[in-house]
Amino acid sequence: MSLISQNARTNAKKTQREEHIKEPPNLEEVEDAKDSDDNALKVKKRKLEQSEMKQVKEMKKLESFLFGTLYSPVEFGKEDSEVETGDTESSDLFFTDRSANSVLSVYEEDADVSEESDDDRAALQRKPVWVDEEEEKATINITNVNRLRKLRKEEDEDLISGSEYVSRLRAQHVKLNPGTDWAQIDSRSRTDRSSDDESDEENEAALNQGNRDVDDILRTNEDLVVRSSSKLLPGHVECSKLVDANIQDPSNGPINSVQFHRNAQLLLATGLDRKLRFFQIDGKRNTKIQSIFLEDCPIRKASFLPDGSQVILSGRRKFFYSFDLVKARVDKVGPLVGREEKSLENFEMNGTARSLAFTEDGQQLLSAGGDGQVYHWDLRTMTCIHKGVDEGCINSTALSTSPGGKLFAAGSDSGIVNIYNREEFLGGKRKPIKTVENLTTKVDFMKFNHDSQILAIGSNMKKSSLKLIHIPSYTVFSNWPPPNVSLSYPRCLDFSPGGGFMAVGNSAGKVLLYKLHHYQHA
């Protein structure tokens, strides 16, 4: 081969190599390769997202089956198109309820309330999704169940409609669980913006009514807080033990008399240690105010005068004492001229007088004794106006009249207590309203409280022999005396003027003090 041909071949190879190097790459092929890779990633990502959405929807479906649709609400801010994305099967399972004029759900309304404009807020109103038509047809008897009786507006009301029943239940719930509008800023303005014209008129009427109620309160001096019901229920009496009334100065002998002053803050306590003690009752400290010693008279009985200005003290003596609370002076009265009795506790009737009781107006006196009869005396004419046999009684030992004089109770040495209607007894009816047989020993004292709903009966011959009787039902309170509490030998008892306190004097020289929770005032 010649040199020329070799050079020509070499040059031809160089030329081909240079052309190959100078030829630019194909961009379309590169872009196609990249697009194919991106599409593959997108498809893979889309499949992954669809798989995750399917799992989420399956979980929501399971929650819906288990707990109901309330636990899978529509997400805030989602549109119909966003909710209904996905496959056809899933869109059939989950849907958005757009009824009630396309009003937002309660959840959406609560979430977007800060973003709504005034016009939108006025346009959106909460409407019931479903109304039970059977409510109007149904009737409920609210007297059959005790807890529903509070829903009555009239005493003889028994049947009400279903809708009225629902309304009263809601009102009772609001009454028991008042709102806290005072803690909300600008609550009144929000209420005005969210209500229509009719609601504004109702709010204005309610405000005017409230102003009238305030005016009525300012025009009267009656108690502002009064219990909804003044009737004491039978069965159990709600009470609690307080500090002893004479905790600062206990007596050295048995307590024979306890009595509250008409102002309900002062209590006297006397006994055989010849001391008259006064205490200021508050249930916490019960401060001692004063004590008086009577050297020659062990005190058997002490009592305030009706006006509360003096205290009369007596014992088994021919004389008695009078203590003036205003002047703080003790006066000795007696002995009575022309009387030879060594004691002033017995007066002659057909039998011996063992118990006395005045009526509330002070115009009549009841007496009873060894002949088993109850006498009525007119203190204005000083004559006996009636005499009647106490049923089943041989020796009468205690008498008590109720405030107002409608009832009186007579106790005997056998432990029987007869409760009578006084007008019927005076009219000739001898049958008692109720015979109480809960005491087994002699009845020594009895006392009605201020509203005649409680009658206390007791005997000093047996420990804790004290019973409280619910007068409207004439039944004994089953939780009195309190369990595991000893009253010792009770000797006297008194209720405070408002019924809130009950004081019990015993043979140990203590005055036990109890709070009756049904009564708000002492």
Side-chain angles (χ1 to χ4, degrees):
M1 182 180 296
S2 63
L3 182 60
I4 297 173
S5 61
Q6 289 180 356
N7 291 336
R9 187 176 300 168
T10 303
N11 292 335
K13 290 181 178 180
K14 290 181 179 179
T15 302
Q16 290 179 359
R17 189 180 296 111
E18 290 176 0
E19 289 178 356
H20 179 71
I21 294 172
K22 292 180 180 179
E23 183 178 0
N26 193 349
L27 296 178
E28 293 182 357
E29 294 179 356
V30 175
E31 290 179 357
D32 292 339
K34 290 183 179 181
D35 290 341
S36 62
D37 294 340
D38 292 340
N39 291 335
L41 291 175
K42 289 182 179 180
V43 170
K44 187 176 181 181
K45 186 176 181 181
R46 187 180 301 109
K47 288 182 179 181
L48 182 61
E49 291 178 353
Q50 290 179 357
S51 176
E52 292 178 355
M53 288 183 61
K54 190 173 182 179
Q55 291 180 0
V56 171
K57 290 183 178 181
E58 289 295 335
M59 291 295 294
K60 289 184 177 180
K61 179 181 177 182
L62 180 59
E63 290 180 0
S64 177
F65 278 122
L66 292 177
F67 307 110
T69 57
L70 180 63
Y71 289 87
S72 56
V74 179
E75 295 181 0
F76 299 142
K78 295 290 185 180
E79 299 294 337
D80 292 346
S81 59
E82 295 179 2
V83 175
E84 296 175 358
T85 56
D87 54 1
T88 307
E89 183 178 358
S90 299
S91 64
D92 293 336
L93 292 175
F94 300 94
F95 65 94
T96 304
D97 187 4
R98 294 297 180 180
S99 59
N101 299 327
S102 299
V103 179
L104 291 175
S105 67
V106 176
Y107 305 101
E108 292 175 320
E109 184 176 354
D110 291 339
D112 300 333
V113 65
S114 60
E115 300 177 0
E116 294 175 352
S117 62
D118 293 340
D119 296 337
D120 295 336
R121 192 178 292 109
L124 295 176
Q125 298 178 6
R126 293 185 180 181
K127 295 183 180 180
V129 178
W130 172 75
V131 177
D132 188 1
E133 298 178 354
E134 297 295 330
E135 287 184 359
E136 292 293 340
K137 301 178 182 179
T139 57
I140 292 89
N141 192 330
I142 58 177
T143 59
N144 289 341
V145 183
N146 291 335
R147 63 181 181 179
L148 296 182
R149 293 179 181 177
K150 63 174 70 74
L151 301 178
R152 294 181 298 179
K153 294 183 178 179
E154 297 179 359
E155 186 176 359
D156 56 348
E157 187 177 20
D158 52 0
L159 296 177
I160 59 175
S161 63
S163 58
E164 180 67 17
Y165 175 70
V166 173
S167 176
R168 294 188 187 183
L169 281 179
R170 293 181 183 276
Q172 182 70 11
H173 175 76
V174 172
K175 180 181 177 181
L176 297 178
N177 303 278
T180 55
D181 291 340
W182 57 269
Q184 300 178 8
I185 302 176
D186 198 17
S187 60
R188 178 62 187 275
S189 61
R190 288 202 306 270
T191 304
D192 292 341
R193 288 195 300 267
S194 62
S195 60
D196 53 8
D197 295 339
E198 182 178 357
S199 299
D200 293 338
E201 295 177 359
E202 292 179 357
N203 293 337
E204 185 177 358
L207 181 61
N208 295 334
Q209 180 64 32
N211 293 334
R212 288 195 296 269
D213 293 340
V214 172
D215 294 338
D216 294 339
I217 291 175
L218 297 178
R219 291 193 185 103
T220 182
N221 61 352
E222 296 179 356
D223 295 335
L224 297 182
V225 179
V226 182
R227 289 184 68 91
S228 59
S229 175
S230 60
K231 292 184 178 180
L232 179 64
L233 299 179
H236 287 71
V237 57
E238 296 182 5
C239 63
S240 59
K241 178 72 169 61
L242 304 178
V243 177
D244 290 349
N246 63 343
I247 187 66
Q248 295 192 2
D249 188 9
S251 175
N252 295 325
I255 301 292
N256 286 333
S257 291
V258 292
Q259 187 180 7
F260 284 92
H261 191 268
R262 58 186 297 179
N263 66 6
Q265 296 180 356
L266 187 65
L267 175 75
L268 68 81
T270 62
L272 296 180
D273 63 349
R274 306 180 184 185
K275 281 188 177 181
L276 169 65
R277 298 174 175 86
F278 294 98
F279 301 92
Q280 183 178 359
I281 302 301
D282 57 8
K284 298 179 180 179
R285 299 183 59 187
N286 301 331
T287 307
K288 176 186 173 182
I289 298 177
Q290 188 178 7
S291 64
I292 299 169
F293 180 73
L294 303 178
E295 184 176 359
D296 57 349
C297 184
I299 303 172
R300 293 275 181 174
K301 184 67 176 178
S303 179
F304 289 105
L305 291 182
D307 60 359
S309 61
Q310 296 183 25
V311 177
I312 305 299
L313 306 101
S314 65
R316 307 189 76 170
R317 298 291 185 269
K318 293 182 179 180
F319 53 86
F320 60 92
Y321 285 94
S322 173
F323 175 70
D324 193 320
L325 273 71
V326 178
K327 299 179 181 179
R329 186 180 65 187
V330 178
D331 295 324
K332 186 176 181 180
V333 181
L336 298 180
V337 178
R339 304 298 295 266
E340 298 180 357
E341 295 91 342
K342 294 181 180 180
S343 174
L344 296 179
E345 61 190 9
N346 294 330
F347 294 91
E348 292 295 333
M349 299 182 301
N350 291 346
T352 56
R354 304 303 301 172
S355 56
L356 301 172
F358 288 94
T359 58
E360 187 181 31
D361 56 9
Q363 296 182 0
Q364 293 185 11
L365 174 68
L366 281 69
S367 65
D371 59 353
Q373 299 190 53
V374 179
Y375 295 78
H376 281 73
W377 304 84
D378 190 336
L379 298 181
R380 294 167 296 183
T381 60
M382 305 300 291
T383 58
C384 178
I385 60 175
H386 185 269
K387 180 178 66 173
V389 177
D390 182 12
E391 186 180 76
C393 175
I394 298 177
N395 292 313
S396 180
T397 57
L399 282 175
S400 180
T401 59
S402 66
K406 180 180 179 181
L407 304 173
F408 77 90
S412 65
D413 58 356
S414 61
I416 303 297
V417 176
N418 290 328
I419 303 174
Y420 294 92
N421 185 305
R422 200 162 71 89
E423 292 183 359
E424 294 178 355
F425 188 82
L426 293 175
K429 184 179 179 180
R430 300 292 185 264
K431 190 71 175 176
I433 300 174
K434 180 67 176 180
T435 298
V436 181
E437 302 176 352
N438 291 85
L439 296 182
T440 58
T441 55
K442 181 186 68 171
V443 181
D444 290 296
F445 60 90
M446 298 186 295
K447 180 71 176 180
F448 285 91
N449 73 332
H450 73 290
D451 60 358
S452 302
Q453 294 196 77
I454 299 177
L455 171 63
I457 60 176
S459 172
N460 58 25
M461 299 181 67
K462 187 176 180 181
K463 279 190 174 183
S464 300
S465 183
L466 177 63
K467 299 294 182 180
L468 299 181
I469 302 172
H470 180 256
I471 288 301
S473 64
Y474 299 100
T475 58
V476 175
F477 289 106
S478 60
N479 65 328
W480 181 268
N484 303 325
V485 175
S486 176
L487 303 179
S488 186
Y489 294 90
R491 299 181 62 86
C492 52
L493 178 143
D494 192 33
F495 295 97
S496 61
F501 291 136
M502 180 178 67
V504 181
N506 61 22
S507 59
K510 297 181 179 180
V511 180
L512 309 179
L513 187 64
Y514 290 87
K515 170 65 177 175
L516 303 181
H517 297 290
H518 175 77
Y519 301 101
Q520 299 298 308
H521 305 287

